[in-house]
Amino acid sequence: MKVHHTLICFFFLSLQDGNPEVNINKNISFGVVGRNLTAEFPFTAVTWKMFCRGECKGGNVLINTTDEKHQSHRYSIELKQENGAPTLSVSITQLIMSDAGRYSCAAGESPSSVSYKQFEVVVAEALLDGNNPAQLKHFNKETGSSLTVGCYFNQSGGQKFFCRGECGEDEVLLQTDDEDDFKDRYRIGFRGPSEKTYTGGGILYVTITQVTESDSGRYRCSLNRSPGQGSFRDFVLSVTDVVQSAFSPSLTSSVTTEHPEKTSEDDLPSVGLTVAVIIIIIIIIIVLSSLAVLIICIKRKSNRGLRTRGNSEGTNMEDVHYENCTPGSTREDSTYQSLDPAGRDQDQTYSTLTDHT
């Protein structure tokens, strides 16, 4: 076990074909978006090889092979010989921001006897090579995010500076003689490329984590703080607090001001409840309206039926004409007839009654 702890895992950083790689003697590896990254680790036994995102468990395993060279999508692993010692080389091509994080590589005679090397990948959003004010790089970030920028210099060694402004006495955020250092939310990492074009030079990576709106401004990464143009690289950071709401922007703004810890996600339950209540009310209104219309239709139909039956039963009452009929009247449509014996119909019902007393 002590042997494994004393093994030095090393990284080297180069710009071959414009692709930065990893430096030696550090467990932090830096790369730039769109470029390739390669890390190499010495192992004593390399029959079984693994390359993983985080711990080598389940879906975290990117490559698991016994081949000397294997590639899967943007990931690859290769067994090399460095000064007669077996070395495991792992690579990621076409870096993207989401590639940043913890990784592991493992090697051994069998899956049950592998030893692990862990390292962190930091992905820079850009590589600054020059200090032309007309090409000053601007970065737009949202609150809570992080920013890493790579600054190339044609010299190496000396003190490294990360400053806000022009590296005045009160503008130095982080200063170190080491290759890697951090303070509060700021980090520095220096990696020296081995590619011939950049012999003697290196890349200074500077990082700000958990940015806030107050971090907006001009920044500088520098070697030795000398006044020469080749000793520093400048960039501008703009941070915005994006709180999106699909309902009331003014209400969201006031809530954010009084309670900064409250996010738009906290409002979603109450908004969902309000929408549900509105939908229920609309349904109730529709049902009540339908019932009212149905009742009105039933009443109208009932009234029409009553009027029709009344007309059929009382037609004679409504159409009766009372007329004064003379004794000799022979009107056929008269309801009442004269009781005069001379004009009496033989079939009439009524006759003249006389008193025989």
Side-chain angles (χ1 to χ4, degrees), residues 37 57 60 69 71 95 109 134 152 290 305 313 319 345:
L37 180 144
K57 296 180 179 179
N60 294 340
K69 186 176 182 179
Q71 181 173 349
L95 285 171
E109 292 299 331
Y152 171 74
S290 301
E313 293 178 354
D319 294 338
D345 188 357

Side-chain angles (χ1 to χ4, degrees), residues 6-13 22-29 39-42 118-119 179-180 190-192:
T6 55
L7 287 175
I8 301 175
C9 64
F10 64 92
F11 309 88
F12 65 92
L13 180 62
V22 186
N23 194 29
I24 62 173
N25 300 328
K26 294 297 176 183
N27 289 336
I28 302 174
S29 56
E40 294 188 349
F41 305 87
Q118 295 184 341
F119 63 102
E179 286 193 344
D180 290 276
F190 185 81
R191 299 295 182 264

Side-chain angles (χ1 to χ4, degrees), residues 291-310:
L291 289 176
V293 172
L294 181 61
I295 291 172
I296 292 172
C297 292
I298 292 174
K299 284 186 175 181
R300 288 182 176 179
K301 184 176 181 180
S302 176
N303 290 337
R304 285 198 301 268
L306 289 174
R307 286 198 299 269
T308 303
R309 190 171 71 177

Side-chain angles (χ1 to χ4, degrees), residues 81-200:
Q81 295 291 328
E82 296 289 341
N83 298 323
T87 300
L88 193 63
S89 174
V90 293
S91 300
I92 307 175
T93 61
Q94 297 296 311
L95 285 171
I96 56 178
M97 292 304 301
S98 60
D99 287 329
R102 302 290 301 181
Y103 289 81
S104 301
C105 62
E109 292 299 331
S110 66
S112 60
S113 63
V114 296
S115 59
Y116 296 88
K117 309 292 184 182
Q118 295 184 341
F119 63 102
E120 180 183 1
V121 171
V122 178
V123 181
E125 296 191 20
L127 180 63
L128 307 182
D129 184 9
N131 222 31
N132 185 354
Q135 298 178 352
L136 184 64
K137 187 69 175 179
H138 288 74
F139 298 94
N140 297 312
K141 305 294 291 184
E142 294 182 4
T143 54
S145 60
S146 301
L147 172 68
T148 298
V149 178
C151 305
Y152 171 74
F153 297 100
N154 55 14
Q155 74 268 20
S156 61
Q159 288 188 320
K160 295 92 179 170
F161 293 86
F162 183 27
C163 313
R164 181 166 185 173
E166 298 181 354
C167 286
E169 293 299 328
D170 298 330
E171 297 175 325
V172 177
L173 302 173
L174 183 57
Q175 173 184 352
T176 184
D177 292 323
D178 299 329
E179 286 193 344
D180 290 276
D181 204 351
F182 68 92
K183 178 183 178 182
D184 299 327
R185 297 181 299 119
Y186 309 105
R187 178 164 62 182
I188 280 180
F190 185 81
R191 299 295 182 264
S194 59
E195 210 274 335
K196 293 182 179 180
T197 306
Y198 299 96
T199 300

Side-chain angles (χ1 to χ4, degrees), residues 228-285:
Q229 284 289 319
S231 63
F232 66 89
R233 301 286 182 265
D234 289 346
F235 62 91
V236 176
L237 170 63
S238 298
V239 183
T240 56
D241 186 10
V242 180
V243 180
Q244 297 180 349
S245 174
F247 300 96
S248 174
S250 59
L251 178 61
T252 302
S253 177
S254 61
V255 171
T256 304
T257 302
E258 296 179 5
H259 305 283
E261 72 279 2
K262 187 175 181 62
T263 64
S264 59
E265 292 182 356
D266 299 327
D267 297 332
L268 291 180
S270 61
V271 172
L273 179 61
T274 302
V275 173
V277 171
I278 292 174
I279 293 175
I280 292 174
I281 292 174
I282 293 174
I283 292 174
I284 292 174
I285 292 174

